[in-house]
Amino acid sequence: MPAAHTPTALTLPSVPSFRGRIGCDESSGYYAVPRRYRLHLTPSCPHCLRIAITHSLLGLDEAVPVVLLPAVPDAPGGGYSALRPLYEAGSHRYKGPAAAPVLSDTWTGRIVSTHTPDILSDLARRLSGDAPDGPVLYPHGAEAEIEAVEHLCAYRIDRAAQHAGQAGADATARRTALGSLLRTLVSLEWRLADQEFLLGDEPTAGDVWLWVSLVQLDTVHRLHLDAAAVHAVADHPHLWSYARRLAAHPAFGRHLDLDGIARRHHAHCRGLEAAGAAVQILDWAAHIAGGGAVRHCPPGTEKEDPDGFMEPKHALHLRPSSSA
């Protein structure tokens, strides 16, 4: 598809360049040591936003310092010039974009990982310490469900919303994508009707994934949908009430850089705005704890489904819906 018809900056993860993991002991190469590792993030990026939220939920400010990057990448291909030395240290003559997020190792000056799911898991399981009051973001036995949520967010929400607003695309394909998105939202609406969080009574990594996808849906993808589609997306009161509650949680709302998201989107988007751009679903800034958003902050086996999108190997058990 030519750049002129690309509706949004791509929100799906590309193939990661680095997939190191934090281990339990020295034999792993990268083992858990406070202040050995550093995160390089820009909250205007959905993947970085998920990591920043997780970092705050786990109270890792001292153990894993964060380097904030500008909202809009300053190098070709969506990369950052500040990250280029790290990429080149880890891969000789590296030619790809020096993109965020990055988990780096200060001992070696190299990148450990650029893969969001691995970084989130290692922060929670290897670097969060043994604080008895800390959240359990990956409860024992919930691994398959959390993996399913990751895929649902990436394909049934993010990718479906992108296709539904794709300028110049076939109208039937756009309707199919919108139908897939709305069926997913209906199922999530039903699930959140009688519980506070996606997987039960406590927040998990699944809530981090879903909340960021809802932010992107309203602040980015909505701009390319028609007004009727946006009203249909908004017509899920339990789901958007859930989004408001989490926005009021300091670990979520403090990282929401609304201005940065808008600048990043408009810097890369070549798509056409639609009538839905005028129909805001949530006033996010009004619900953020502390009264305002942050400003100017320097995946399992898959199979094709009949709608043409991707479905996780382990399906999240949501009630089927006959809605569009």
Side-chain angles (χ1 to χ4, degrees):
M1 180 64 65
H5 297 303
T6 301
T8 66
L10 190 65
T11 60
L12 297 180
S14 59
V15 176
S17 302
F18 300 88
R19 289 287 300 269
R21 301 301 302 269
I22 306 298
C24 298
D25 52 42
E26 295 184 24
S27 64
S28 67
Y30 298 113
Y31 58 98
V33 177
R35 302 193 68 80
R36 173 176 176 176
Y37 303 101
R38 184 170 295 161
L39 287 165
H40 306 259
L41 306 174
T42 173
S44 64
C45 160
H47 306 304
C48 291
L49 179 55
R50 289 185 173 107
I51 294 171
I53 292 167
T54 300
H55 181 269
S56 289
L57 284 169
L58 297 170
L60 292 175
D61 289 351
E62 292 296 324
V64 186
V66 173
V67 176
L68 286 176
L69 300 165
V72 181
D74 63 351
Y80 287 92
S81 56
L83 296 179
R84 175 60 55 179
L86 285 170
Y87 274 84
E88 292 180 346
S91 178
H92 183 57
R93 295 183 178 178
Y94 177 82
K95 298 299 183 183
V102 165
L103 176 66
S104 69
D105 176 17
T106 62
W107 290 8
T108 64
R110 295 174 180 265
I111 293 174
V112 177
S113 181
T114 59
H115 186 51
T116 299
D118 288 352
I119 293 173
L120 294 176
S121 178
D122 287 351
L123 289 178
R125 292 180 165 131
R126 303 299 186 204
L127 295 168
S128 62
D130 300 317
D133 297 329
V136 180
L137 299 183
Y138 291 84
H140 180 70
E143 293 86 357
E145 279 195 294
I146 290 173
E147 181 184 342
V149 171
E150 294 173 12
H151 284 76
L152 179 139
C153 290
Y155 300 110
R156 292 291 186 180
I157 299 179
D158 299 343
R159 185 175 179 180
Q162 284 182 322
H163 283 292
Q166 192 162 2
D170 177 76
T172 300
R174 293 200 306 271
R175 285 195 299 271
T176 299
L178 180 62
S180 179
L181 171 64
L182 294 178
R183 285 192 297 274
T184 299
L185 299 184
V186 168
S187 298
L188 290 165
E189 171 76 4
W190 170 79
R191 189 179 184 91
L192 291 164
D194 57 3
Q195 61 189 51
E196 188 172 358
F197 299 103
L198 188 58
L199 301 182
D201 297 327
E202 300 293 335
T204 68
D207 295 291
V208 176
W209 280 92
L210 176 57
W211 188 76
V212 173
S213 284
L214 294 176
V215 169
Q216 288 291 113
L217 182 56
D218 190 18
T219 62
V220 174
H221 302 308
R222 169 180 59 82
L223 306 182
H224 302 284
L225 298 174
D226 62 40
V230 175
H231 283 297
V233 167
D235 191 23
H236 300 90
H238 295 295
L239 180 62
W240 293 105
S241 175
Y242 160 88
R244 285 194 299 270
R245 289 198 309 273
L246 290 185
H249 190 300
F252 286 78
R254 66 177 283 205
H255 298 294
L256 186 52
D257 182 6
L258 297 170
D259 176 69
I261 290 172
R263 289 190 292 119
R264 184 186 184 93
H265 172 65
H266 290 298
H268 298 286
C269 176
R270 298 296 180 268
L272 301 175
E273 284 200 351
V279 186
Q280 186 179 32
I281 298 174
L282 287 188
D283 182 356
W284 293 92
H287 300 292
I288 292 172
V294 177
R295 301 290 180 177
H296 301 287
C297 290
T301 303
E302 300 136 358
K303 59 182 180 181
E304 288 289 338
D305 75 358
D307 288 338
F309 299 100
M310 304 296 287
E311 187 172 78
K313 178 180 178 182
H314 302 289
L316 182 65
H317 299 298
L318 300 175
R319 185 176 69 176
S321 170
S322 57
S323 301

